[in-house]
Amino acid sequence: MIPVSPLADSFGRVMCDLRVSVTDRCNFRCLYCLPETEEAANFYRTKFDAVKNPNPLQPAALQWKPKSQLLTFEEIERVVRVAVARGINKIRITGGEPLLRQGVEQLIARIAQIPGVEDLAMTTNGFHFSQKAEALRAAGLRRVSFSLDSLDEKNFKRMTGRDGLSEVLAGIRKARELGMNPVKVNAVVIRGINDNEIEALADFARTEQLSLRFIEFMPLDSGHTWLADLVVPGREILQRLQARHALVQSKPSHAAETARRWKFADGAGEIGIIAPVTEPFCGFCNRLRLTADGKIRTCLFSLGEHDLKPLLRGSADDAQLEERLRGIVWQKEERHHIGEPGFVQPERSMSCIGG
Ligand code: SAM
Ligand code: SF4
């Protein structure tokens, strides 16, 4: 069904993809998202002479949003329905760690039955996935992306601030057993931390027949300590993998696809490269984000957010909500400005924005 009037921005881009964050909380403390451990601080301090932030950790007492400020499942469902009626067809449930939101499978079930939702996926750190997998599958979840940045227990802990490699690997196995397809794995690569594992992660994708995407480190960490020198450019990752394997580039499945993908020549497994820092793809961006506390973000790097809560908790009807969404989308930024003079990192980290 082609919507009468889709959600379009002033640059002619039409929105199809809504990322819904269901919580800002997380059980991990990833170095690139919510760094917490002293080891993480030391990495940032010693790697470079001048870190921009002398205390490169998140504030000691992390200020999670009070539960009363988080959207209820009814409110989230309403926003999704209104957006889907105007052309959004892909929904991704994320966070924080979405599996920490109690009853998240009930939200999945509500969204799965909205006519027009063609693709419903989740991004998770995978720690709790095995226990919840069957309920999620039964609720209608068909696709899942796991975050896994290291296959080495010690390095996994350095990256995530927690032990948990075996739980995440079990979650990935469980998703495959349940026939979720594709099972994707995301690895953020940080120079000097896990760039020595690029080849091992690619081999993992090959032997486990997974789609593994390498992601460039973006300035979205809570410590605001991102440095360009920590980014391993997608091009460098690709060259290293091409030196070891015959890779065949896959055709993009659609113009807005963020990953460039390659299959191993023997057809087992796939690798992807997501390079938002060194090869931005803003020109085709069709994504919107709804934060757990009800704000629409039109770009990962937006410096402003648009609060839907007053409408959702006031007396606005769906037509008014739609009108507001339409106005917000029209103002979507043309592109990000990472690396340019005057670039300002958003205040909230990826865990609060919803990756
Ligand atoms: N907790 C879940 C997880 O880790 O998969 C979902 C939320 S997490 C914010 C979503 C994705 O954002 C993850 O794949 C994570 O690796 C990625 N991410 C977080 N911070 C990032 C950063 N600074 N640069 C690039 N990717 C980042
Ligand atoms: Fe948590 Fe995901 Fe952020 Fe890691 S990337 S701290 S798992 S929200």
mmCIF file of all heavy atoms in Angstrom, residues 69 125 183 233-234 239 262 323:
data_model
loop_
_atom_site.group_PDB
_atom_site.id
_atom_site.type_symbol
_atom_site.label_atom_id
_atom_site.label_comp_id
_atom_site.label_asym_id
_atom_site.label_seq_id
_atom_site.Cartn_x
_atom_site.Cartn_y
_atom_site.Cartn_z
ATOM 1 N N GLN A 69 8.895 8.614 33.241
ATOM 2 C CA GLN A 69 9.165 9.406 32.026
ATOM 3 C C GLN A 69 9.307 8.541 30.780
ATOM 4 O O GLN A 69 9.383 9.055 29.668
ATOM 5 C CB GLN A 69 10.436 10.229 32.213
ATOM 6 C CG GLN A 69 10.211 11.405 33.138
ATOM 7 C CD GLN A 69 11.388 12.355 33.136
ATOM 8 O OE1 GLN A 69 12.131 12.459 32.179
ATOM 9 N NE2 GLN A 69 11.562 13.050 34.238
ATOM 10 N N ASN A 125 22.585 -6.594 23.210
ATOM 11 C CA ASN A 125 23.943 -7.056 23.526
ATOM 12 C C ASN A 125 23.955 -8.565 23.722
ATOM 13 O O ASN A 125 25.021 -9.157 23.875
ATOM 14 C CB ASN A 125 24.530 -6.306 24.731
ATOM 15 C CG ASN A 125 23.776 -6.549 26.033
ATOM 16 O OD1 ASN A 125 23.212 -7.610 26.265
ATOM 17 N ND2 ASN A 125 23.782 -5.547 26.916
ATOM 18 N N VAL A 183 20.750 -13.597 11.110
ATOM 19 C CA VAL A 183 21.290 -13.220 12.412
ATOM 20 C C VAL A 183 22.501 -12.344 12.113
ATOM 21 O O VAL A 183 23.444 -12.778 11.459
ATOM 22 C CB VAL A 183 21.702 -14.459 13.232
ATOM 23 C CG1 VAL A 183 22.372 -14.030 14.531
ATOM 24 C CG2 VAL A 183 20.484 -15.324 13.521
ATOM 25 N N PRO A 233 39.292 3.183 9.828
ATOM 26 C CA PRO A 233 38.429 3.434 8.672
ATOM 27 C C PRO A 233 37.967 2.133 8.013
ATOM 28 O O PRO A 233 38.720 1.156 7.941
ATOM 29 C CB PRO A 233 39.339 4.224 7.718
ATOM 30 C CG PRO A 233 40.417 4.790 8.583
ATOM 31 C CD PRO A 233 40.622 3.795 9.688
ATOM 32 N N GLY A 234 36.724 2.145 7.552
ATOM 33 C CA GLY A 234 36.169 0.968 6.888
ATOM 34 C C GLY A 234 37.072 0.466 5.778
ATOM 35 O O GLY A 234 37.238 -0.746 5.595
ATOM 36 N N GLN A 239 40.586 -3.699 3.339
ATOM 37 C CA GLN A 239 41.879 -4.098 2.748
ATOM 38 C C GLN A 239 42.476 -5.276 3.506
ATOM 39 O O GLN A 239 42.995 -6.217 2.916
ATOM 40 C CB GLN A 239 42.858 -2.923 2.776
ATOM 41 C CG GLN A 239 42.647 -1.972 1.617
ATOM 42 C CD GLN A 239 43.334 -0.631 1.838
ATOM 43 O OE1 GLN A 239 44.063 -0.432 2.821
ATOM 44 N NE2 GLN A 239 43.081 0.305 0.941
ATOM 45 N N TRP A 262 29.991 -7.847 1.657
ATOM 46 C CA TRP A 262 30.743 -8.781 0.828
ATOM 47 C C TRP A 262 30.477 -10.198 1.308
ATOM 48 O O TRP A 262 30.413 -10.434 2.513
ATOM 49 C CB TRP A 262 32.254 -8.528 0.944
ATOM 50 C CG TRP A 262 32.724 -7.302 0.228
ATOM 51 C CD1 TRP A 262 33.302 -7.245 -1.010
ATOM 52 C CD2 TRP A 262 32.663 -5.944 0.693
ATOM 53 N NE1 TRP A 262 33.594 -5.943 -1.344
ATOM 54 C CE2 TRP A 262 33.213 -5.121 -0.305
ATOM 55 C CE3 TRP A 262 32.193 -5.344 1.857
ATOM 56 C CZ2 TRP A 262 33.302 -3.745 -0.187
ATOM 57 C CZ3 TRP A 262 32.280 -3.972 1.985
ATOM 58 C CH2 TRP A 262 32.823 -3.189 0.972
ATOM 59 N N GLU A 323 0.569 15.265 12.367
ATOM 60 C CA GLU A 323 0.971 16.599 11.923
ATOM 61 C C GLU A 323 2.296 17.009 12.576
ATOM 62 O O GLU A 323 3.186 17.565 11.929
ATOM 63 C CB GLU A 323 -0.148 17.583 12.314
ATOM 64 C CG GLU A 323 -0.191 18.874 11.527
ATOM 65 C CD GLU A 323 0.007 18.681 10.028
ATOM 66 O OE1 GLU A 323 -0.610 17.767 9.448
ATOM 67 O OE2 GLU A 323 0.823 19.433 9.460
#
